[in-house]
Amino acid sequence: MTTDLHKHESRDDLGDHAELAALTGLVSHTITHHIPTLYAPASGNEITAGLFFRVGRADETLATAGITHLVEHLALHRLGLSDLHYNGATANAYTLFHVTGSEEEVVKYLNSVCAGLRDLPMERLETEKEILRTEAAGRGSGPQHRMPLWRYGARGYGLSSYNELGTWSLTPDQVRHWAETRFTRDNAVLWITSDHVPDGLDLTLPQGSRVPAPAATSALPTTPAYISGDDGHVVLTSVLRRSTAAAVFADVLGRALFQDLRQEGGYSYSAEADYTPRDAEFAVLTAYADSLPQKQDAVVGGFVDTLARLRVGRIEQSELDSVRGKLLKMYDSPDIAASALPSYALSLLLGHRILSPEQHRAELNAVTTDDLREVAREAWAGALLQVPGRGVDWAGLTLAPQYSQTAVTGTRHQSLEDEEITLVIGAEGVSLLTPRGPVTVRYDACAAMTARPDGARVLTGHDGFSVTVEPTLYRGVTPDRIAALDAAVPPQAVVPMPAREPDRVPQPRRRTSAPRSSGSGRSTWAWTTALWLVGLLAAVWGLLCAVITADEASAAAPEWDAVTGVWILELPLVFATWKVYAARRKRIRS
């Protein structure tokens, strides 16, 4: 290993990164303007560099979501139009600025990024917000888009399922403070595919501290669990302890799904699995299979069966050997050191152990089918499975919570569209009462509340549940009730939104005079007839009850037991009349 002292920094500055000793003879490292720097040469005339920062979407809140992405865009603005191949990327746990070009171009890019971070062009803030919203609108959501929300809720690693709400309300002071405290020299790692650190670099950044990756939250009371998703897609995610065996298992699972669902079953076109580090200790395993609507049951069954086969240890040695051979081939590349630089730099940034090629080879060769079976069991124990609208309780999975456990008390506001739905605005939170259960967001666990000038509010809880308050859709939601709600929500959770056009404000669905189908007309006529019959019977019997009561009251020895019995028979008739009336009304409104 070559250790350079760049910009006259002392050798003592390298002591905090003793873990890099594993890369002796493969990767060189130094300190550049207080930033740990890894470098190794690659073939070709151009070099590639990347500047990592340990900050990403998982560090934000739902109300400030997008702030890291905004800093990234603002820092790159001054580069303007260029033929240079460069970009920025904001992930859950890191932000990366990377570039490929000549040494002079790389130096210019890195200097410009750091200069931009030191002095963000705040005159561009509103424009960049709009650009990010436009980018989000044009970015499709994949089949696994909702999985983080269901696993983590509306915070931390779950924020990747949400829109960047902060692009509506973040202030210059908030964005500037985020850059000054998160994009610091002590929260960064630089890597360069070169045999030396280029001269002329000016990576001056504010002093700070290394920010640990955020702790994971959970919105799942139990696993394995499942949710319903769109037709044509089966998705599984699980959180695994990071290990060589876990990475190998992901490849084994992907091959097994491909063989079982595509080659043998013919149910799927795409069947694959992926292993992605989440933080220093854990990684996310993702498995996916597609299907035609008529094959969905077979795909779900085959998917579960494949996982069950791996859990009980029915893994062929040839499956393991094939994956191991593929992974070992990466060490045959002459540029293995340069190609591994991003991985080494990210491990250093997150605090994950760094393995030399020899150590990694040894761990790959030590993986057994028993190790893979244990990983398969761990993957199933923490699994969240998304299936196309079909329950999989038969496989031992539990449906993820669809409703809150409790509801708040407060003023009740009946829906103007559905008499079975009631909004409750209370002192502790809001609840939507539905026939199947309540949906509640407590103010002290509110991740964000969007606020429109017309009074509309959308509250999202840390657990991912959301309640929409539309004054036009509920009876009695006055400005005073909205004001009380606003006063109860923590100010840092409020996201002001722009006014809507009048035709965008929802109105209760109104009955139309359009003719109904003959089937609908016959059904309404039948309910009307039933209402008249039952109502008439209840009225006649009620009249009879009144006559009997009056007669007995005038008798010398009233038989009140008989009177009570007659009135008891009236109660079912009144109840039946009310139920038929409610059913008829619902039929007419639908």
Side-chain angles (χ1 to χ4, degrees):
M1 177 182 68
T2 302
T3 302
D4 298 317
L5 304 181
H6 199 65
K7 293 296 179 185
H8 308 292
E9 292 173 12
S10 69
R11 197 173 290 268
D12 291 339
D13 289 329
L14 305 177
D16 292 338
H17 303 294
E19 62 270 33
L20 293 175
L23 303 182
T24 299
L26 181 71
V27 172
S28 302
H29 69 75
T30 186
I31 298 290
T32 309
H33 292 281
H34 301 279
I35 298 174
T37 305
L38 311 183
Y39 59 100
S43 56
N45 296 324
E46 294 186 319
I47 64 175
T48 299
L51 182 59
F52 274 119
F53 290 93
R54 221 308 299 143
V55 59
R57 289 212 62 179
D59 296 274
E60 303 167 349
T61 67
L62 182 57
T64 63
I67 190 170
T68 309
H69 201 177
L70 267 174
V71 171
E72 174 219 312
H73 270 231
L74 290 168
L76 291 175
H77 170 66
R78 291 192 178 97
L79 284 161
L81 295 175
S82 172
D83 294 331
L84 189 63
H85 181 67
Y86 72 88
N87 209 340
T90 302
N92 275 334
Y94 65 84
T95 299
L96 171 64
F97 296 95
H98 60 93
V99 60
T100 296
S102 67
E103 185 172 302
E104 180 181 355
E105 290 171 329
V106 167
V107 168
K108 179 181 179 181
Y109 170 82
L110 293 174
N111 289 355
S112 178
V113 166
C114 291
L117 291 171
R118 291 193 302 267
D119 183 20
L120 294 174
M122 286 303 175
E123 70 278 3
R124 288 279 306 176
L125 182 59
E126 294 306 317
T127 300
E128 294 299 338
K129 286 182 183 179
E130 189 168 357
I131 289 173
L132 291 189
R133 294 195 295 268
T134 303
E135 179 183 336
R139 183 171 53 235
S141 57
Q144 59 176 322
H145 175 70
R146 299 190 307 139
M147 300 296 273
L149 180 165
W150 283 93
R151 179 175 293 277
Y152 302 109
R155 51 184 172 173
Y157 300 98
L159 294 181
S160 58
S161 292
Y162 290 88
N163 290 330
E164 295 173 329
L165 280 182
T167 58
W168 291 103
S169 61
L170 286 166
T171 66
D173 286 343
Q174 286 176 297
V175 176
R176 190 178 294 110
H177 178 73
W178 193 254
E180 291 171 349
T181 57
R182 301 302 179 112
F183 289 84
T184 68
R185 68 191 194 190
D186 301 291
N187 203 35
V189 173
L190 173 67
W191 55 270
I192 308 173
T193 62
S194 174
D195 59 1
H196 66 281
V197 177
D199 292 330
L201 285 174
D202 180 8
L203 309 184
T204 304
L205 290 171
Q207 184 177 357
S209 60
R210 179 62 52 84
V211 181
T217 56
S218 177
L220 293 174
T222 184
T223 54
Y226 75 92
I227 60 173
S228 296
D230 297 331
D231 284 350
H233 306 286
V234 179
V235 185
L236 176 140
T237 64
S238 189
V239 177
L240 302 174
R241 289 167 293 179
R242 290 182 66 175
S243 68
T244 300
V248 171
F249 173 77
D251 263 339
V252 169
L253 174 60
R255 288 173 177 238
L257 290 172
F258 187 84
Q259 177 180 340
D260 295 348
L261 299 181
R262 175 170 172 169
Q263 293 183 322
E264 295 183 4
Y267 308 135
S268 297
Y269 176 77
S270 297
E272 56 200 21
D274 176 68
Y275 173 90
T276 304
R278 187 189 73 186
D279 50 39
E281 301 297 329
F282 294 95
V284 176
L285 171 71
T286 303
Y288 170 78
D290 60 6
S291 70
L292 293 173
Q294 61 270 28
K295 297 286 187 178
Q296 288 179 166
D297 288 339
V299 171
V300 172
F303 202 102
V304 171
D305 287 346
T306 298
L307 285 161
R309 171 173 72 83
L310 299 180
R311 291 203 314 279
V312 299
R314 284 163 44 200
I315 304 172
E316 299 295 333
Q317 183 66 39
S318 59
E319 294 178 272
L320 169 57
D321 291 341
S322 179
V323 169
R324 180 165 32 219
K326 185 195 79 170
L327 294 175
L328 287 171
K329 281 183 179 179
M330 66 182 178
Y331 290 110
D332 296 336
S333 168
D335 289 337
I336 178 58
S339 61
L341 280 175
S343 176
Y344 291 143
L346 187 57
S347 291
L348 181 61
L349 186 78
L350 295 177
H352 183 62
R353 64 184 184 134
I354 295 176
L355 296 178
S356 67
E358 292 74 20
Q359 291 170 325
H360 191 215
R361 283 194 192 97
E363 288 200 1
L364 282 171
N365 287 320
V367 174
T368 66
T369 54
D370 285 342
D371 295 331
L372 298 183
R373 181 193 63 207
E374 292 304 314
V375 176
R377 291 177 176 176
E378 181 185 3
W380 182 255
L384 176 61
L385 183 64
Q386 177 181 288
V387 293
R390 292 164 173 79
V392 284
D393 305 81
W394 53 267
L397 294 100
T398 302
L399 180 64
Q402 307 293 301
Y403 299 94
S404 304
Q405 293 184 341
T406 60
V408 301
T409 58
T411 57
R412 299 169 68 90
H413 309 274
Q414 189 178 40
S415 169
L416 298 175
E417 294 185 318
D418 190 334
E419 64 184 6
E420 295 185 320
I421 294 178
T422 301
L423 172 70
V424 180
I425 302 177
E428 297 178 336
V430 295
S431 292
L432 196 65
L433 307 183
T434 76
R436 294 190 176 184
V439 177
T440 297
V441 178
R442 295 180 59 89
Y443 302 135
D444 59 4
C446 181
M449 180 184 76
T450 59
R452 298 276 186 184
D454 55 40
R457 303 290 185 265
V458 179
L459 295 89
T460 302
H462 289 153
D463 56 9
F465 285 120
S466 182
V467 174
T468 299
V469 179
E470 286 281 4
T472 55
L473 299 183
Y474 294 94
R475 184 173 291 113
V477 181
T478 63
D480 287 344
R481 297 307 303 144
I482 295 298
L485 190 158
D486 290 346
V489 174
Q492 65 271 20
V494 179
V495 180
M497 302 289 284
R500 296 180 287 190
E501 295 295 329
D503 60 353
R504 303 288 293 179
V505 177
Q507 300 296 328
R509 288 173 296 179
R510 298 177 182 177
R511 302 176 190 175
T512 64
S513 57
R516 294 180 179 270
S517 66
S518 59
S520 175
R522 285 194 298 268
S523 177
T524 302
W525 177 85
W527 281 111
T528 302
T529 302
L531 177 61
W532 274 103
L533 290 174
V534 176
L536 182 60
L537 182 58
V540 171
W541 191 263
L543 180 61
L544 178 62
C545 290
V547 171
I548 292 174
T549 301
D551 185 59
E552 288 298 322
S554 63
E559 296 181 8
W560 294 117
D561 289 344
V563 173
T564 302
V566 171
W567 278 107
I568 287 175
L569 292 176
E570 170 72 0
L571 296 179
L573 292 173
V574 173
F575 179 75
T577 302
W578 176 78
K579 291 295 289 185
V580 172
Y581 168 77
R584 176 182 176 275
R585 183 182 177 191
K586 184 175 181 180
R587 179 66 185 178
I588 291 174
R589 294 177 64 183
S590 63

